[in-house]
Amino acid sequence: MRHILIIILSLLCFSATAKTNTPAESDGWKIRTNDYSASPYYGTVVGNGGIGILPWKEPFAIKEVILNSVFDSKQPMGISSILKGINPFNLQLTVDDRKVSGKSISDWSQTIDMRNAVHSTKFKFGNDAEITYDIRALRNMPYAGLVTVSVHALKDISLTVKNTISMPDMYRSPTPAVRHLTVDGQNLKILRVSAPSKNRAVPVSASASFLFDDKTPDSDLIDNDKHSFSIEIPQGKTFTFSLIGSVCSGRDFTDPYGESDRQISYAAKEGLDRLLSAHQRLWDELWEGDVIIEGDDDAQRAVRFSLYNLYSSARKGSRLSIPPFGLSATGYNGHIFWDTELWMFPPMLFLNQGIARSMIDYRSDRLRQAEKRALAYGYDGAMFPWESDDSGEESCPVWALTGAFEHHITADIAIAAWNYYCMSADRRWLRDHGFPMMEKVADFWVSRAEKNPDGSYSVRNVVCADEYAIGVDDNAFTNGAAIKALQAAVKAAKVCGIHAPATWSEVASNLRIPKADDGTTLEYEGYAGQTIKQADVNLLGYPLAVITDPAQLKRDLEYYENKINPRGPAMSFAVFAIQHARLGDGDKAYELFVRSYRPNQLPPFGVVSEGAGGTNPYFTTGAGGFVQAVINGFCGLEITDNGIKQLPSALPSHWKKVTVTGVGPDKKTYTRSR
């Protein structure tokens, strides 16, 4: 009875949320809103894989800048936490001595252009001017952003523009500076503020300068110390200027102070046309990997928004991964979890080989730290941290037992490595990077498993993928993932011409997966139907394919669908949707597909929170699961030992066609039609 009540409450929540949180106006590429007074407001980030810039609804407001993989700690001896950047984007406009603010504007609207990665705002200021501004995190400059402002005068006006650099409370002892440079005969004034982070003294430097397209204000109207300028605009004329800002840290540069200034002088020399052209070209390349849904505009927009946020959070060549909230916030301290390998890596593996390579390189670069961690806990091989910061060491809060006992992540990483090889067929990478990691993971699982009197093996005292279950034995997903990791290590050894230890296959063949008397797969030994946080057993059907029998898959799906906390993380319903689509029930798959995103949408743009009714910023982990539901579920794509295979699957009755473009190294196109 309790589970029936949970389902009813979940559906009521779903229905209400679907009505109130749908974006105000949208098409396949743009999301628009035009109600300035609407509340609450959840902004959406513009990112380039290096920094994330979070615009807000007030004129020119930038709530925060997030730095990728730059860490401090919240207390002197506390765990690591991702740093907010020093913010160089703080424009203030004054028209005829009246400050432009939310109190004096009308006809306000904002648009997220996902195709071009531009956040645009426009409004009317009294009867004086029409103002528009665009915000970009420049894809071609991963430490820089650009704000372009146009002011159209409705009468003769005097415009004063000021920019300041603001510093979050995560820093101390700021040092301001003004630098004067000459670039192509143009005087360039750069305002810079640098400071060490509060507890680990990571140096961060932010610089900014105005760039002018065609008309530069007279030099005597530019106040160097306050970084401001004034200009007269006649009625009917439009004046345009840009603010270029950069944020650099000691993680990436020995001299972040000089580099933040160099980024500005580089942008000035390149010029606005070349900067914007390069930004556009790189986003055009990203969107070669796309998902097209015919017959469902809402699903199309949501999938594109998911891809937009994933692409905004990562970049090829960075050797960095994606935290659960991407570059939209500091949630979960910006650490890297299994969210990467199981949820966000798979769609990138299909759609963008460069980003996928960076994500798996993040792990291989930190193999030595994982080996040290295994040694510290008495195991062989490599034991990857549940929460990794840039050091690759365990960064989970001490009070959370997940850090000590949620070991399935070590298997998840090896599975991702094997899948990367299967997709890329890059034997050199496998030999030099992939197999050394997979080998150490296999050694870990052999040492972690305990042999039972009947010859089977158990993995005892773990935290499940369902994190409500702590300290249990033979968790289905943990053991299933270990089986797949061991089997993959055997296959990788063969490709590399190396003899695999017999114990890898022995343990893989004999790890226990508990079953109930009626044949239902049990989440762990002794599981008795408790509410679970998120999918666990059902991951054995997808993505692990440890269970493949259709009758068994249906039995487990029916049993666990009602056990999931309806306010748990969004990914569970995506996993259910994938399996129902592959089992031929497109409409049931669609019901669960919708539950994986719509109850979690936040106004006005449809930012997806972690759980239904949550208030987090964009949950990129959920985005990864949601996109998998289309690529791997409705379109039926699967990565196998021999590359990509398209499995039978069913579409919802109202969908006409799904097309997935840019798939794999050859950027192929796959379709599924009704």
Side-chain angles (χ1 to χ4, degrees):
M1 181 67 180
R2 179 168 176 264
H3 294 305
I4 295 173
L5 290 173
I6 289 174
I7 297 167
I8 293 171
L9 289 171
S10 174
L11 291 174
L12 288 173
C13 172
F14 159 73
S15 177
T17 310
K19 292 177 181 177
T20 59
N21 289 350
T22 300
E25 181 185 349
S26 66
D27 60 22
W29 287 108
K30 295 179 181 179
I31 311 172
R32 300 182 181 91
T33 184
N34 55 19
D35 185 357
Y36 186 80
S37 63
S39 182
Y41 175 99
Y42 295 90
T44 184
V45 75
V46 287
N48 57 20
I51 62 173
I53 303 170
L54 185 60
W56 219 242
K57 72 176 181 178
E58 292 79 13
F60 306 104
I62 302 291
K63 188 173 184 181
E64 56 196 24
V65 177
I66 304 297
L67 305 181
N68 194 354
S69 206
V70 183
F71 290 90
D72 192 61
S73 60
K74 293 180 178 178
Q75 295 85 30
M77 291 184 286
I79 63 167
S80 61
S81 180
I82 201 76
L83 267 175
K84 295 180 182 179
I86 299 173
N87 182 4
F89 310 104
N90 292 282
L91 284 170
Q92 300 171 26
L93 270 63
T94 301
V95 175
D96 293 340
D97 297 322
R98 295 168 55 214
K99 182 179 178 181
V100 176
S101 70
K103 297 179 180 179
S104 51
I105 65 173
S106 60
D107 299 333
W108 173 92
S109 68
Q110 284 188 332
T111 302
I112 309 302
D113 181 345
M114 297 177 284
R115 183 67 180 80
N116 303 305
V118 183
H119 187 292
S120 300
T121 303
K122 65 179 181 179
F123 55 84
K124 184 178 178 182
F125 179 68
N127 294 316
D128 302 55
E130 294 173 340
I131 299 174
T132 65
Y133 63 94
D134 296 337
I135 301 172
R136 294 172 175 86
L138 291 171
R139 192 75 194 183
N140 43 316
M141 297 182 66
Y143 306 99
L146 184 72
V147 183
T148 300
V149 183
S150 291
V151 180
H152 179 73
L154 300 176
K155 65 177 187 178
D156 293 348
I157 61 172
S158 176
L159 174 70
T160 297
V161 179
K162 179 181 178 181
N163 185 57
T164 59
I165 296 180
S166 62
M167 191 174 69
D169 61 6
M170 305 171 84
Y171 297 87
R172 54 183 170 83
S173 306
T175 301
V178 176
R179 182 185 290 271
H180 302 263
L181 301 175
T182 300
V183 178
D184 288 344
Q186 176 183 338
N187 293 325
L188 191 67
K189 287 80 178 177
I190 302 175
L191 178 65
R192 184 218 300 160
V193 173
S194 57
S197 61
K198 189 173 290 184
N199 293 308
R200 297 187 180 180
V202 179
V204 175
S205 180
S207 299
S209 182
F210 295 117
L211 300 178
F212 302 99
D213 188 9
D214 51 2
K215 182 178 180 181
T216 303
D218 295 335
S219 59
D220 60 348
L221 295 178
I222 298 178
D223 188 324
N224 295 328
D225 294 328
K226 293 183 179 179
H227 206 235
S228 65
F229 68 86
S230 297
I231 191 169
E232 303 296 320
I233 309 176
Q235 180 179 356
K237 297 297 183 181
T238 300
F239 172 67
T240 299
F241 70 93
S242 296
L243 176 72
I244 181 74
S246 67
V247 190
C248 300
S249 76
R251 180 209 181 271
D252 300 299
F253 302 99
T254 303
D255 175 21
Y257 322 102
E259 185 58 34
S260 67
D261 287 352
R262 290 185 197 99
Q263 296 268 314
I264 303 303
S265 61
Y266 174 87
K269 174 63 176 174
E270 280 286 274
L272 292 171
D273 288 345
R274 286 180 57 81
L275 287 176
L276 296 178
S277 177
H279 170 84
Q280 188 63 59
R281 173 177 54 80
L282 292 173
W283 271 98
D284 287 345
E285 290 178 5
L286 286 170
W287 285 117
E288 289 175 4
D290 191 17
V291 175
I292 303 161
I293 299 171
E294 298 179 28
D296 191 331
D297 292 342
D298 180 69
Q300 176 68 87
R301 180 208 56 79
V303 168
R304 284 253 173 79
F305 201 29
S306 294
L307 283 174
Y308 166 79
N309 278 276
L310 288 166
Y311 288 153
S312 297
S313 301
R315 59 187 303 117
K316 68 178 182 180
S318 68
R319 307 185 77 88
L320 294 177
S321 197
I322 308 177
F325 295 114
L327 295 180
S328 70
T330 59
Y332 291 118
N333 296 307
H335 295 161
I336 304 300
F337 297 71
W338 77 313
D339 302 52
T340 291
E341 281 72 32
L342 208 81
W343 303 107
M344 293 181 273
F345 176 77
M348 294 299 95
L349 182 61
F350 278 89
L351 299 180
N352 193 288
Q353 300 297 289
I355 290 176
R357 172 67 185 264
S358 282
M359 295 171 79
I360 200 65
D361 283 344
Y362 174 88
R363 296 299 192 181
S364 62
D365 287 349
R366 291 158 181 78
L367 176 59
R368 182 58 186 146
Q369 292 90 328
E371 292 180 85
K372 290 180 179 179
R373 187 164 183 259
L375 180 67
Y377 285 86
Y379 299 116
D380 297 335
M383 177 181 173
F384 282 89
W386 175 242
E387 296 188 30
S388 174
D389 64 8
D390 200 43
S391 72
E393 296 181 356
E394 183 59 72
S395 302
C396 183
V398 176
W399 52 263
L401 289 176
T402 50
F405 293 102
E406 195 154 358
H407 293 169
H408 64 76
I409 190 169
T410 297
D412 303 335
I413 290 166
I415 294 167
W418 177 245
N419 286 341
Y420 178 78
Y421 167 72
C422 292
M423 181 69 80
S424 68
D426 187 341
R427 291 194 176 209
R428 176 179 292 182
W429 177 87
L430 183 67
R431 183 185 66 243
D432 295 344
H433 303 286
F435 179 70
M437 185 163 53
M438 297 170 71
E439 177 183 32
K440 295 297 182 181
V441 168
D443 289 342
F444 167 78
W445 285 109
V446 168
S447 70
R448 181 69 175 85
E450 301 175 25
K451 193 169 187 176
N452 298 311
D454 63 359
S456 65
Y457 284 85
S458 289
V459 177
R460 296 189 170 90
N461 200 22
V462 299
V463 174
C464 302
D466 162 28
E467 290 174 339
Y468 293 167
I470 298 173
V472 303
D473 298 339
D474 288 329
N475 167 233
F477 177 69
T478 299
N479 287 14
I483 290 169
K484 297 298 287 189
L486 287 161
Q487 291 173 341
V490 172
K491 290 182 282 192
K494 184 176 181 180
V495 173
C496 294
I498 297 171
H499 179 71
T503 51
W504 293 359
S505 294
E506 179 188 347
V507 174
S509 298
N510 293 286
L511 270 171
R512 295 186 67 246
I513 304 291
K515 295 282 188 180
D517 292 341
D518 66 356
T520 302
T521 307
L522 294 178
E523 186 180 283
Y524 52 82
E525 188 63 48
Y527 175 75
Q530 297 93 327
T531 296
I532 64 178
K533 178 181 178 181
Q534 58 197 41
D536 188 301
V537 163
N538 303 103
L539 298 173
L540 272 65
Y542 176 89
L544 295 185
V546 169
I547 296 175
T548 57
D549 175 61
Q552 183 70 57
L553 291 171
K554 289 179 181 178
R555 181 185 296 111
D556 291 343
L557 287 168
E558 291 172 0
Y559 182 78
Y560 284 100
E561 182 181 338
N562 299 338
K563 305 296 186 294
I564 296 173
N565 184 335
R567 293 187 178 273
M571 308 89 69
S572 299
F573 299 112
V575 166
F576 279 72
I578 291 167
Q579 293 180 60
H580 281 293
R582 290 183 172 188
L583 289 168
D585 191 343
D587 289 330
K588 177 64 176 178
Y590 176 75
E591 172 194 328
L592 294 158
F593 169 76
V594 169
R595 290 178 68 185
S596 76
Y597 78 96
R598 200 176 288 167
N600 302 60
Q601 287 182 313
L602 300 171
F605 300 110
V607 166
V608 171
S609 66
E610 180 177 8
T615 58
N616 312 102
Y618 204 96
F619 186 46
T620 47
T621 305
F626 177 61
V627 176
Q628 286 184 64
V630 183
I631 295 175
N632 307 104
F634 294 121
C635 199
L637 300 189
E638 178 86 341
I639 182 68
T640 73
D641 294 347
N642 299 310
I644 300 168
K645 181 179 180 181
Q646 189 170 22
L647 304 176
S649 61
L651 297 183
S653 56
H654 66 291
W655 287 18
K656 299 176 183 177
K657 185 178 180 181
V658 168
T659 303
V660 183
T661 65
V663 176
D666 298 327
K667 297 189 175 182
K668 295 181 179 179
T669 296
Y670 291 85
T671 63
R672 174 75 73 207
S673 301
R674 283 199 58 80

